[in-house]
Amino acid sequence: MKQKLLIAAVCMASSCVAADELKVEMIDLASGNSAGVVTITANEYGTVFTPQLKGLSSGLHGFHIHTNPSCDSAKKGEKNVLGGAAGGHYDPENTGKHGMPWSNDNHLGDLPALFVDADGTASQAVLAPRVKLADLDGRALMIHAGGDNHSDHPAPLGGGGPRVVCGVIK
């Protein structure tokens, strides 16, 4: 009994979360300021991403799991890409294809689009039915400037555009 109380006290002091829950601090790539947190939990239907974000432009935004655990900028040719060190969409099966989060023949990192209210806040959860919590360790969570049509046409990777907010999943 004393051991359980000690573990609980240590966890409260260090902000522990349950083993089936992850909290990801999201950073605005332009300013370096916190944009809030995305809490990730598993349930019988898949993995739920629940944002508590602020300061975003209203509307739909591309929302993806990226391969590398970094939100640093990276050079792509002569261009500096914010969040470029996160790499591409997480695609462990090497499908090379962007698609719907519930499809089996595309990037595993393709999540449902993130909705941002008129006041710049995002709080509506999205469900990724194919993603497991074990898939997420050592990855980045990325929000893009524009919406996502879950297709490679007419624009590659759903047309989400530049990376604007990122968090490393630990």
Side-chain angles (χ1 to χ4, degrees), residues 125-136:
V126 300
L127 174 68
R130 297 172 35 217
V131 174
K132 309 275 187 273
L133 284 179
D135 297 324
L136 301 175

Side-chain angles (χ1 to χ4, degrees), residues 15 17 21-25 37-40 168-170:
S15 301
V17 294
E21 178 180 279
L22 301 169
K23 289 200 179 280
V24 181
E25 177 75 21
V37 174
V38 174
T39 302
I40 307 170
V168 174
I169 305 169
K170 301 175 189 174

Side-chain angles (χ1 to χ4, degrees), residues 85-108:
H89 295 179
Y90 180 51
D91 190 14
E93 300 297 323
N94 295 312
T95 66
K97 183 178 169 190
H98 189 65
M100 297 294 184
W102 52 85
S103 300
N104 290 321
D105 61 347
N106 55 284
H107 304 151
L108 188 60

